[in-house]
Amino acid sequence: MFHFPGMLTLTVFLPALGALLILALVRGDRAIRAFAFAVGLADLLLAAAVFVSFDRGMGADRFQLIDRITWISTETFNASYLLGVDGLSAPMVLLTGLLGFCAIIASWSIGERVREYFIWLLLLQTAVMGVFTSLDFLLFFLYWELELLPMYMLIAGWGTGRRAYSAMKFLIFTILGSAFMLVAIVAIFLSQPSGSFDMTSLLEAGSMLNSGSAVLPMGVLFWLFFAAFAVKLPTWPVHTWLPDAHTDAPTAASVMLAGVMLKMGGYGLLRVNVGMFPNEVNAFAWALITLGVISVLYGAVVTIRQTDLKRLIANSSVSHMGLVLVGIGSVGAAAGQLNGTGLSGAAMQLFTHGTITGLLFVGVGLIYDKAHTRYIPDLGGLASRMPMAAAALAIAGFASLGLPGLSGFVSEVLVFFGAFRAYPLMTALSVLGIILAAGYILWMLERSLFGPRRERFDGLTDASPLEAIPLALLVISIVVVGVYPAVLTDVFDTAVAPMVDMINAAQSPIATAR
């Protein structure tokens, strides 16, 4: 396996280093764009190297590519700079590198305050990379908070419409969610005699979280973490910031927001709520799947009513991210042993939804840049003028509605198969969301891309060779995962297996109590 000491640290901080060099040395808008392109490409290659270097052998160490430096050390307080990847985070690192590179190319048309824009965009990529690789709770929280400022600045500074309102709404919701997480982290810290924030020890069976020594009840800790991650996912009813943020954000910010920032919520649920609270996730699975089904159906119904392309995709994200909760809810099977299919589907949904929505927002951004409107009734006949962009948007739409052979189908099938055994009725209801998705996706494609040509669009041009790069990369990822899902499922299974073992061990006494 190809790797070298400090490779994970370099992958995380290379975008921030690039932002610093843009601030200090790079001059001229063209040079800034070219330099950001090079940094994004280099980080994508490093992220791919991290993914390829991860040892998929079930006998290998769970956490790999470890970078550890003692950060704060006293008799009662210990925090470390601790980075590492496992089967859950390695694909997320690859996803962040891929979408970060695509976001840089999607930003080529930015014409005002170019230096400042790319600095914030690169800092955002470092912050998200840090969330997916941190194995120290304090470091995890710092990265979690760090991403708020770049995203706020991108929406408020380069957005459209009510950009100041949308940026502030995003900030308020996410900071409020972070407050719940901070309380839970402090409670966990105070529960340990060693005063450590090391997440790896808390992910092991028999750790403090199973010993009854917590200063807050375990159920309270579980829901505190859930509140923070639910806002970011987002799930109903704390989802209302998302449509506004997406609608008014620049294209690249929408790509990063939908592609990786929402995935931070799902990642946190799997890493912390499932990985550290096996008894509680089993006991409250019914509530999780209920919230998931409500999100799936509510998001789908609201999406049908949308006439703005970006707002349509934003609301569809609420529906599709509800499937993550449905997959997590599969742990509530009281009869028999959990096989982990639903959890694998939830993890897969994080990756596949990231690439699908990334492609959708890149395609919509191209249409808006050239047609200067996202209002669906004003569009039509674009496929004949922009065949490459239209084909990419159609592929993303088909993947979103779960067409076999594309990546969205794989994650949805795993979620439904895993959850049906535990909650057949709730799972059947969530399937209705996919049926509705077929309706709003096909209707959107028909109204915007096909139909009679409109004279005012006669001068439109298709995607340029540069603009075609993110389209091609994301289409390839969607097709490859759809045709050969083992490229990801084999990796995710190495992280899901320990979770399944812990939940199965906790399941019998809870089932008996019921």
Side-chain angles (χ1 to χ4, degrees), residues 46-256:
L46 282 170
V50 168
F51 179 78
V52 172
S53 299
F54 180 77
D55 188 350
R56 293 152 176 78
M58 298 301 289
D61 292 337
R62 179 176 178 183
F63 294 100
Q64 303 173 24
L65 306 180
I66 297 292
D67 289 334
R68 183 194 297 266
I69 300 174
T70 300
W71 183 16
I72 305 172
S73 180
T74 69
E75 291 184 1
T76 58
F77 192 97
N78 293 282
S80 299
Y81 170 82
L82 178 59
L83 301 183
V85 293
D86 67 346
L88 181 59
S89 53
M92 295 297 101
V93 170
L94 176 61
L95 177 66
T96 305
L98 174 60
L99 292 181
F101 180 56
C102 293
I104 289 170
I105 299 176
S107 304
W108 220 255
S109 60
I110 293 294
E112 60 177 8
R113 305 195 314 278
V114 175
R115 179 191 307 278
E116 183 181 346
Y117 176 89
F118 280 100
I119 286 174
W120 288 122
L121 186 59
L122 291 171
L123 287 176
L124 176 63
Q125 186 168 338
T126 282
V128 177
M129 281 280 195
V131 169
F132 290 138
T133 56
S134 296
L135 294 177
D136 179 277
F137 256 128
L138 183 59
L139 189 65
F140 178 84
F141 181 78
L142 291 177
Y143 279 122
W144 188 276
E145 293 293 276
L146 178 61
E147 55 84 17
L148 299 180
L149 180 59
M151 182 55 71
Y152 172 86
M153 296 301 296
L154 288 170
I155 298 174
W158 290 269
T160 58
R162 300 187 302 170
R163 57 187 185 182
Y165 166 82
S166 298
M168 184 58 67
K169 189 174 183 180
F170 157 78
L171 193 66
I172 291 172
F173 267 78
T174 48
I175 284 181
L176 182 61
S178 300
F180 290 107
M181 187 191 340
L182 181 59
V183 172
I185 290 174
V186 171
I188 288 178
F189 168 77
L190 295 175
S191 301
Q192 300 176 90
S194 61
S196 172
F197 293 95
D198 190 338
M199 295 171 70
T200 59
S201 64
L202 301 177
L203 288 164
E204 297 173 356
S207 66
M208 177 281 301
L209 291 178
N210 293 324
S211 66
S213 62
V215 298
L216 289 178
M218 299 297 290
V220 173
L221 288 174
F222 176 88
W223 286 109
L224 286 172
F225 277 118
F226 177 84
F229 300 140
V231 170
K232 190 74 77 175
L233 190 61
T235 188
W236 178 91
V238 289
H239 67 285
T240 57
W241 62 270
L242 181 65
D244 291 321
H246 269 314
T247 302
D248 297 331
T251 298
S254 291
V255 170
M256 294 298 286

Side-chain angles (χ1 to χ4, degrees), residues 140-458:
F140 178 84
F141 181 78
L142 291 177
Y143 279 122
W144 188 276
E145 293 293 276
L146 178 61
E147 55 84 17
L148 299 180
L149 180 59
M151 182 55 71
Y152 172 86
M153 296 301 296
L154 288 170
I155 298 174
W158 290 269
T160 58
R162 300 187 302 170
R163 57 187 185 182
Y165 166 82
S166 298
M168 184 58 67
K169 189 174 183 180
F170 157 78
L171 193 66
I172 291 172
F173 267 78
T174 48
I175 284 181
L176 182 61
S178 300
F180 290 107
M181 187 191 340
L182 181 59
V183 172
I185 290 174
V186 171
I188 288 178
F189 168 77
L190 295 175
S191 301
Q192 300 176 90
S194 61
S196 172
F197 293 95
D198 190 338
M199 295 171 70
T200 59
S201 64
L202 301 177
L203 288 164
E204 297 173 356
S207 66
M208 177 281 301
L209 291 178
N210 293 324
S211 66
S213 62
V215 298
L216 289 178
M218 299 297 290
V220 173
L221 288 174
F222 176 88
W223 286 109
L224 286 172
F225 277 118
F226 177 84
F229 300 140
V231 170
K232 190 74 77 175
L233 190 61
T235 188
W236 178 91
V238 289
H239 67 285
T240 57
W241 62 270
L242 181 65
D244 291 321
H246 269 314
T247 302
D248 297 331
T251 298
S254 291
V255 170
M256 294 298 286
L257 181 59
V260 290
M261 287 184 61
L262 303 189
K263 310 309 173 285
M264 290 164 51
Y267 173 83
L269 288 171
L270 289 168
R271 170 70 75 218
V272 179
N273 287 81
V274 178
M276 299 183 187
F277 297 87
N279 291 297
E280 285 66 34
V281 75
N282 192 22
F284 297 122
W286 62 272
L288 300 181
I289 198 169
T290 300
L291 286 173
V293 171
I294 293 173
S295 294
V296 169
L297 296 178
Y298 174 86
V301 170
V302 172
T303 302
I304 293 176
R305 299 173 54 86
Q306 303 306 311
T307 56
D308 182 289
L309 282 173
K310 288 187 74 173
R311 204 167 188 91
L312 184 148
I313 300 169
N315 281 285
S316 73
S317 294
V318 175
S319 179
H320 283 91
M321 294 312 292
L323 293 175
V324 175
L325 285 178
V326 174
I328 293 174
S330 67
V331 305
Q337 293 287 287
L338 175 68
N339 61 19
T341 303
L343 292 180
S344 294
M348 278 286 290
Q349 180 71 358
L350 298 180
F351 188 95
T352 59
H353 183 265
T355 54
I356 292 168
T357 53
L359 182 56
L360 284 169
F361 276 116
V362 170
V364 169
L366 280 174
I367 290 175
Y368 182 72
D369 285 345
K370 299 176 185 294
H372 306 295
T373 181
R374 299 189 306 260
Y375 187 57
I376 296 175
D378 286 347
L379 298 171
L382 296 182
S384 60
R385 300 299 182 189
M386 306 173 64
M388 188 183 304
L393 195 62
I395 290 172
F398 294 149
S400 182
L401 60 84
L403 184 71
L406 300 176
S407 60
F409 173 78
V410 178
S411 55
E412 290 168 6
V413 164
L414 290 175
V415 167
F416 294 144
F417 280 7
F420 187 82
R421 183 183 181 187
Y423 298 100
L425 177 59
M426 300 297 283
T427 305
L429 288 174
S430 65
V431 173
L432 291 177
I434 305 305
I435 297 173
L436 293 173
Y440 62 69
I441 290 293
L442 294 175
W443 196 25
M444 178 270 289
L445 293 176
E446 189 275 332
R447 288 184 293 168
S448 58
L449 302 182
F450 303 103
R453 293 185 179 182
R454 299 180 183 269
E455 291 184 4
R456 64 177 177 274
F457 296 142
D458 285 347

